[in-house]
Amino acid sequence: MSEYRLHCFKESGNAYKAALMLELCGCDWQMVWVDYFNGGTRTDGFKSEVNEMGECPVLEHKGRHFSQSGVILDYLAAATGKFAARDEEERREILRWTLFDNHKFTSYFATLRFLFGLQKTGETPVTEFLRTRTRGAYAVVDKHLASRKFLLGDQPTIADISLAGYVFYKEATGIDRAKEFPNVEAWAGRIAALPRWKHPYDLMPDPA
Ligand SMILES: N[C@@H](CCC(=O)N[C@@H](CS)C(=O)NCC(=O)O)C(=O)O
């Protein structure tokens, strides 16, 4: 058995944050596929044995379970020493961007993609609301990245890995990222150029 086990599925960008970190750090890890689209995260067994919150990702390491991608990234940064804060100020800055990501940057985009790109709801008041909120969050990050290579400066940290959760999926959202948010587009290219980078659909394949 691998040192790390990650409960995940390929469509989950939140799970991708953890999978990408494990892969970029060269960790010995394996995926435990979760059948999310058939209710796999909502069963009593999953909630009692894996994660009471009923969500992926969940990281197993040394007999412990960790949920919430931000916590998993923090744990792995401490365990590997990679993509970590170098001082207290950076630690707070990583926390600031990770909270913003979980509340807005990932959250609105992921819900919009789920409805519009995967469930194919078509245009509804909800998708219009989510697209407006996504554009607002992306504009904040685009402006911040106008003068930096990565969120904290020249080096990527777990803050970048958190915000990168959903930026490589291509399902329709009605947003043209390259045109509307060129700095986010360029930053995503820099993440994809990191050694060992893989697309979420290659990193977390469905079981054979
Ligand atoms: N803030 C959480 C979000 C996790 C989350 O929303 N996971 C989704 C998959 S992307 C999930 O498992 N949802 C289960 C459900 O809604 O039933 C994190 O960053 O880990």
Side-chain angles (χ1 to χ4, degrees):
M1 193 164 69
S2 305
E3 181 180 2
Y4 294 96
R5 283 158 49 92
L6 183 69
H7 297 256
C8 59
F9 55 96
K10 72 179 190 309
E11 292 87 357
S12 168
N14 286 306
Y16 177 61
K17 299 170 187 183
L20 182 61
M21 177 71 176
L22 287 162
E23 192 69 17
L24 292 177
C25 293
C27 294
D28 172 33
W29 73 283
Q30 68 185 82
M31 68 177 285
V32 180
W33 182 68
V34 178
D35 192 1
Y36 168 80
F37 290 98
N38 285 306
T41 49
R42 275 158 253 145
T43 63
D44 289 344
F46 186 90
K47 287 184 183 166
S48 62
E49 285 157 36
V50 183
N51 180 10
E52 64 182 349
M53 294 176 179
E55 291 179 337
C56 282
V58 174
L59 181 74
E60 278 186 57
H61 189 226
K62 296 185 175 169
R64 296 180 65 193
H65 287 72
F66 301 92
S67 73
Q68 292 297 325
S69 60
V71 170
I72 295 170
L73 289 173
D74 178 71
Y75 179 79
L76 289 172
T80 64
K82 296 181 178 161
F83 302 103
R86 288 169 298 188
D87 55 34
E88 270 299 290
E89 196 175 326
E90 283 196 357
R91 188 188 67 76
R92 271 189 301 275
E93 195 62 1
I94 286 172
L95 187 58
R96 195 169 76 94
W97 282 109
T98 305
L99 291 170
F100 180 78
D101 177 47
N102 275 249
H103 181 198
K104 293 185 173 168
F105 188 81
T106 275
S107 189
Y108 291 129
F109 181 92
T111 313
L112 173 64
R113 164 189 173 252
F114 182 77
L115 292 175
F116 195 75
L118 293 173
Q119 303 276 38
K120 315 270 187 214
T121 60
E123 212 60 80
T124 70
V126 176
T127 59
E128 284 173 25
F129 169 80
L130 289 169
R131 194 175 298 111
T132 301
R133 299 296 286 175
T134 300
R135 283 195 167 111
Y138 268 63
V140 168
V141 177
D142 199 68
K143 188 172 176 206
H144 184 78
L145 287 171
S147 56
R148 295 166 185 84
K149 281 167 71 181
F150 297 99
L151 287 164
L152 269 66
D154 283 343
Q155 297 301 321
T157 66
I158 51 172
D160 296 279
I161 296 175
S162 186
L163 273 82
Y166 282 85
V167 300
F168 300 111
Y169 292 107
K170 296 291 181 208
E171 291 88 5
T173 59
I175 295 173
D176 183 345
R177 187 180 71 206
K179 196 168 151 204
E180 297 180 44
F181 305 106
N183 300 318
V184 173
E185 181 75 8
W187 162 84
R190 287 191 284 277
I191 300 281
L194 294 174
R196 303 179 66 95
W197 178 87
K198 283 187 187 157
H199 188 275
Y201 286 164
D202 298 323
L203 206 47
M204 303 179 291
D206 288 338

